[in-house]
Amino acid sequence: MQNEWFSEIKAVSEAVLEDVRLYNSNSLLLPLFLIALLFLWVTEKDKNLRVVLLYLVAAIGAVFVCPVYAWVGMKIDAEIYYRVLWTLPIGILVCYSAVKLMTYFKAAVSRALVFLMAILVIVMNGDLVCTNSFHIRSVNAYHIPQQVIDVADALKLDNYTPIAVLPAELLPFFRQYTADVFTPYGRNILEPSWNFQNELYNAMEGDNTAYDVEEVARCARDEHCAFVVLSCAKQMNGSMEEQGYFLFRFVQGYFIYMDYSYYWVYKEQGLLDADVIEAGG
């Protein structure tokens, strides 16, 4: 029992060290942070600043590397334990240390040199974010793909909040734009570690090349979806019209189908917009 405990603590400690290594990557970020922390520990006299910038920061760092706390934290969610490091004000500490170091010099030239060296060190330890493959030029004020906005606007009703099922590629952005359309599942289902399961999601995404239209329609009705959004990049094995749907709109490469059973109910209750009534009529 004791050997198992020590083995588990050892594994947790190794995981913590790996988190630190990945967080620092190939930079001098953490060494700069430790140098700044040591510099302020020696030079900072203001008691309030010492509490905020030194004692609290040192306590957070100690807690993060503490094997017992790490063991508890990783039992809760090992995938996000590294985010404790986000609470360390590394940028504030390094920049404040650089400014404080400048005040030790009286000559303007000396201060300028310290300033330039600090900027150079910071720049050398970073990357230009715009070169990252995940960064693309924004095409709208929301900084999300335009097709998400167009699909969401097509689905929204003035007098009712419908339920719509979406292709997986739209899920990470959809809720950033609107809460006026319900979905049977969200972006959380895309995370394998969370182990979310949904029959409709499996019907939508189980085949990367084609939709089993009959299965999608059945599962969508089980989830009370009025709208089904399908990508034109995938083939359809079957016809949505044969399943009791009509094509409401084609938007940015996505077919938006509405279930006729919901159409008639919503129409009788006066919940549909004019364009939906026109498309269904």
Side-chain angles (χ1 to χ4, degrees):
M1 183 68 178
Q2 189 174 13
N3 290 336
E4 291 180 2
W5 169 254
F6 281 120
S7 297
E8 196 162 356
I9 291 297
K10 181 182 178 182
V12 167
S13 300
E14 291 174 350
V16 169
L17 292 176
E18 180 66 10
D19 281 345
V20 172
R21 186 188 69 79
L22 293 174
Y23 185 82
N24 189 62
S25 188
N26 296 321
S27 71
L28 296 175
L29 179 66
L30 290 180
L32 278 177
F33 164 69
L34 294 175
I35 291 171
L37 184 65
L38 180 61
F39 172 74
L40 291 177
W41 203 284
V42 174
T43 60
E44 183 57 57
K45 304 302 180 185
D46 188 294
K47 292 183 178 180
N48 292 327
L49 287 177
R50 289 186 69 86
V51 170
V52 175
L53 293 180
L54 300 179
Y55 305 147
L56 181 59
V57 170
I60 293 173
V63 166
F64 176 80
V65 299
C66 175
V68 176
Y69 180 83
W71 179 80
V72 174
M74 290 185 181
K75 284 293 184 182
I76 297 173
D77 197 332
E79 295 294 326
I80 64 172
Y81 180 73
Y82 73 95
R83 294 182 183 178
V84 175
L85 289 171
W86 293 1
T87 61
L88 295 175
I90 294 178
I92 295 175
L93 215 65
V94 171
C95 292
Y96 178 68
S97 299
V99 172
K100 193 171 183 65
L101 180 61
M102 289 170 57
T103 63
Y104 281 87
F105 298 90
K106 303 301 181 183
V109 175
S110 299
R111 292 186 174 185
L113 287 174
V114 172
F115 174 77
L116 290 175
M117 288 180 61
I119 294 296
L120 183 61
V121 169
I122 292 173
V123 169
M124 290 176 62
N125 279 279
D127 296 317
L128 182 61
V129 295
C130 294
T131 61
N132 192 301
S133 60
F134 292 106
H135 289 80
I136 58 175
R137 183 176 295 276
S138 176
V139 295
N140 52 63
Y142 299 95
H143 299 276
I144 60 177
Q146 185 61 40
Q147 59 263 36
V148 175
I149 295 175
D150 293 342
V151 169
D153 287 343
L155 291 170
K156 287 191 289 186
L157 301 177
D158 291 337
N159 302 310
Y160 189 74
T161 303
I163 303 176
V165 59
L166 309 169
E169 65 269 19
L170 301 182
L171 293 175
F173 311 101
F174 193 79
R175 195 57 70 218
Q176 296 179 45
Y177 175 67
T178 182
D180 294 328
V181 179
F182 293 140
T183 56
Y185 47 79
R187 61 166 293 274
N188 52 4
I189 204 167
L190 303 178
E191 296 292 339
S193 61
W194 292 351
N195 295 319
F196 285 108
Q197 296 293 326
N198 183 280
E199 190 177 13
L200 176 55
Y201 177 79
N202 294 336
M204 289 283 290
E205 307 300 332
D207 189 333
N208 293 327
T209 60
Y211 294 108
D212 182 339
V213 168
E214 183 177 357
E215 182 68 6
V216 169
R218 182 188 67 79
C219 294
R221 286 197 172 102
D222 289 343
E223 294 282 357
H224 311 292
C225 296
F227 292 98
V228 175
V229 181
L230 302 178
S231 172
C232 70
K234 296 169 67 171
Q235 295 180 347
M236 295 189 194
N237 294 331
S239 169
M240 290 294 288
E241 285 77 7
E242 293 177 356
Q243 303 302 320
Y245 288 77
F246 68 90
L247 179 61
F248 164 54
R249 192 172 294 175
F250 179 75
V251 178
Q252 292 272 24
Y254 292 94
F255 297 102
I256 300 178
Y257 289 95
M258 186 174 188
D259 189 335
Y260 258 124
S261 60
Y262 284 98
Y263 171 83
W264 294 117
V265 172
Y266 292 171
K267 185 177 181 180
E268 290 177 1
Q269 296 178 356
L271 301 176
L272 294 180
D273 300 345
D275 59 337
V276 184
I277 295 175
E278 182 181 355

